[in-house]
Amino acid sequence: MLIQAQIAYLLTGLYFSVLWSILFYNLFPAPSIRVSTSLFCFIGTALVSVSLLSLFFKLPFVHLPFDLLKSPNHLERFLGFWFWVGFPEELVKVFMLYVLSKRHDIQFPSTFAYYGMICGLGFGIYEGMDYQMTVNFELAAGMEEYLFLNLLRLTTLPVLHAVWSGIAGFFLGFVFLYGQKRCCFVAVGLGIPSVLHALFNTFNHTVASLGLAIMSVLVFSLYFAKHDSLNYYFGQQK
């Protein structure tokens, strides 16, 4: 029964990933999107990026500061989530984008942004599958809540991972394509999503987390709306 439930949750997550991918494609149109490359990003992130993150946390000098993550002080909790959760996760999620920049002739930052969102979906689905056997058991007060948390992790929360990775992909696209202001764009590309990620975790299970989720979508939409003008400017400066 347990194996059947896991398969059912996995299929649910994959089903919603396809739906989200199609929605992203229509809401944030980007040129030269390929299904094969999208699968490469999705599967590669779920396998390679997650493995890199797991190896990082298995290093002998790396230990999660659980006291800091559970601190009643918002600033301490934020710093813990940023340094140990937000930044490492956002960093590994863009690894497949770096691989694409070396092996594919992608010419638009918006395309990197879309593939970044697909990378985020791949990471979110894996995390959702992992949480159903660990964290969700601890958080749920009963079977109904456990089922709700599983569905939430596999259907809705991966969108946040997708949006955060999309923001990173947008800015890193300018680095991969034009190479100008490299440090600035890398810092912004990783800084904004990791901060939003850490803030969301800091205020998780509160109304503030919903506001931060909406803010994340709006931030990505705002940057994406400025894509053409920014792309033209840096293309002229190349």
Side-chain angles (χ1 to χ4, degrees):
M1 290 296 293
L2 181 59
I3 299 299
Q4 292 178 343
Q6 288 180 316
I7 294 175
Y9 282 127
L10 176 60
L11 293 177
T12 300
L14 293 175
Y15 172 75
F16 275 91
S17 292
V18 173
L19 293 183
W20 287 125
S21 301
I22 296 173
L23 180 63
F24 295 155
Y25 181 79
N26 286 277
L27 289 179
F28 307 104
S32 305
I33 297 298
R34 299 178 180 177
V35 174
S36 58
T37 307
S38 298
L39 288 173
F40 172 80
C41 291
F42 184 86
I43 298 173
T45 302
L47 297 178
V48 179
S49 298
V50 170
S51 297
L52 290 174
L53 188 64
S54 299
L55 288 174
F56 169 73
F57 283 114
K58 289 181 180 179
L59 294 174
F61 55 86
V62 177
H63 301 282
L64 278 174
F66 290 106
D67 292 339
L68 194 62
L69 298 180
K70 297 179 180 179
S71 171
N73 184 286
H74 290 322
L75 179 58
E76 291 181 354
R77 200 157 68 247
F78 165 76
L79 292 175
F81 276 118
W82 180 81
F83 192 78
W84 295 102
V85 180
F87 183 76
E89 289 190 4
E90 298 307 320
L91 180 62
V92 299
K93 283 195 294 180
V94 299
F95 177 76
M96 303 313 296
L97 297 184
Y98 175 76
V99 175
L100 289 181
S101 73
K102 300 299 182 182
R103 302 182 60 181
H104 289 256
D105 185 24
I106 299 177
Q107 301 179 355
F108 299 91
S110 59
T111 306
F112 278 107
Y114 177 82
Y115 287 139
M117 299 182 85
I118 301 302
C119 289
L121 284 179
F123 186 92
I125 292 300
Y126 180 90
E127 185 181 66
M129 291 299 297
D130 182 58
Y131 268 52
Q132 77 165 280
M133 300 305 299
T134 54
V135 179
N136 288 355
F137 271 125
E138 300 173 4
L139 294 178
M143 182 56 66
E144 294 82 3
E145 188 173 350
Y146 172 72
L147 294 174
F148 172 76
L149 289 174
N150 284 344
L151 290 175
L152 188 66
R153 277 283 174 185
L154 293 171
T155 60
T156 303
L157 292 182
V159 176
L160 282 178
H161 277 293
V163 170
W164 294 328
S165 297
I167 295 173
F170 179 78
F171 284 101
L172 292 178
F174 288 102
V175 175
F176 296 146
L177 293 173
Y178 306 126
Q180 296 191 11
K181 300 182 178 180
R182 185 181 299 271
C183 293
C184 177
F185 274 88
V186 170
V188 173
L190 294 176
I192 292 177
S194 63
V195 167
L196 289 171
H197 189 162
L199 285 172
F200 179 83
N201 285 0
T202 301
F203 297 99
N204 200 11
H205 304 299
T206 68
V207 176
S209 65
L210 176 60
L212 287 163
I214 296 173
M215 181 187 296
S216 298
V217 176
L218 292 177
V219 167
F220 177 76
S221 301
L222 176 63
Y223 287 131
F224 200 90
K226 296 294 183 180
H227 163 262
D228 289 336
S229 58
L230 289 172
N231 192 45
Y232 175 79
Y233 173 77
F234 287 106
Q236 293 294 105
Q237 299 295 315
K238 186 177 180 181

